[in-house]
Amino acid sequence: MPITTPKAFYFKDDGSIPNSKYPLLVYQNAFTQRGNKGGDWIEQRFASNNWTNTWRWGVYPFHHYHSNTHEVLGCFSGSALLHMGGENGKKINVKAGDILVIPAGVGHKCISHSDDFTVLGAYPNGLSPDLMRGEKGERPQTDRNIAKAPFPSADPFSGNNDGLTKLWKQ
């Protein structure tokens, strides 16, 4: 399967959601398997690139971010409208076959979704994410956490030679 080039989206700190110097990466139509077979396929693909500690569910219906780790979401069923980057961010339609690589600090929220919308989430090196909501008092500690979030050794989808390894400049 040829690797597609992801779309890159940059978001500025909006005062409550810190976002990141790294762009959100969106691979559209990255894989063809659907349903549980699709979930199994992307789980194996992510694990082969050392993105583990997986779960299957949806996306919270409130703005949140993770300050201690990056996250990948692989949509294997349904579709949704996600709000990325906080209130001043961008609304992005995602559907089965899409993969989103979310840098630590980048806000995300589900606005609406189909009844069957399901994603598989994973983290580099199997890290366990914190859950931050952009509330008063979270910062400056979350800013320090984001700065210390380990840089992934590989892109969860495309591996060592593409994706975030080229588009995220340290």
Side-chain angles (χ1 to χ4, degrees):
M1 172 184 294
I3 302 296
T4 59
T5 301
K7 291 184 178 180
F9 298 91
Y10 291 87
F11 304 105
K12 294 185 190 283
D13 185 333
D14 72 2
S16 61
I17 303 293
N19 289 305
S20 177
K21 66 181 180 180
Y22 303 128
L24 164 74
L25 302 179
V26 179
Y27 290 94
Q28 294 178 309
N29 299 310
F31 62 98
T32 57
Q33 292 279 4
R34 299 292 184 260
N36 287 330
K37 286 185 178 183
D40 294 344
W41 187 88
I42 57 173
E43 185 169 15
Q44 291 171 358
R45 182 68 172 239
F46 293 168
S48 74
N49 290 306
N50 202 29
W51 289 65
T52 57
N53 189 19
T54 61
W55 52 268
R56 296 178 189 209
W57 196 62
V59 176
Y60 290 127
F62 53 85
H63 289 290
H64 67 285
Y65 64 95
H66 310 293
S67 74
N68 64 331
T69 184
H70 310 289
E71 179 176 41
V72 63
L73 302 177
C75 181
F76 61 88
S77 182
S79 61
L81 178 62
L82 302 181
H83 198 173
M84 307 301 293
E87 276 304 314
N88 299 320
K90 181 168 180 57
K91 294 174 183 171
I92 298 175
N93 285 299
V94 297
K95 64 186 178 323
D98 293 349
I99 294 172
L100 291 84
V101 183
I102 307 170
V106 170
H108 44 293
K109 164 187 172 175
C110 184
I111 297 171
S112 62
H113 60 83
S114 63
D115 290 342
D116 61 342
F117 174 65
T118 313
V119 297
L120 180 130
Y123 308 92
N125 302 313
L127 293 172
S128 294
D130 58 12
L131 181 65
M132 311 312 291
R133 296 177 181 229
E135 296 173 350
K136 193 174 176 114
E138 289 177 355
R139 298 171 81 179
Q141 182 59 51
T142 55
D143 294 330
R144 289 191 290 271
N145 293 349
I146 292 164
K148 292 189 302 186
F151 195 83
S153 59
D155 183 278
F157 176 59
S158 63
N160 293 322
N161 300 314
D162 212 349
L164 71 78
T165 62
K166 287 187 176 175
L167 298 170
W168 288 8
K169 304 297 181 201
Q170 291 193 65

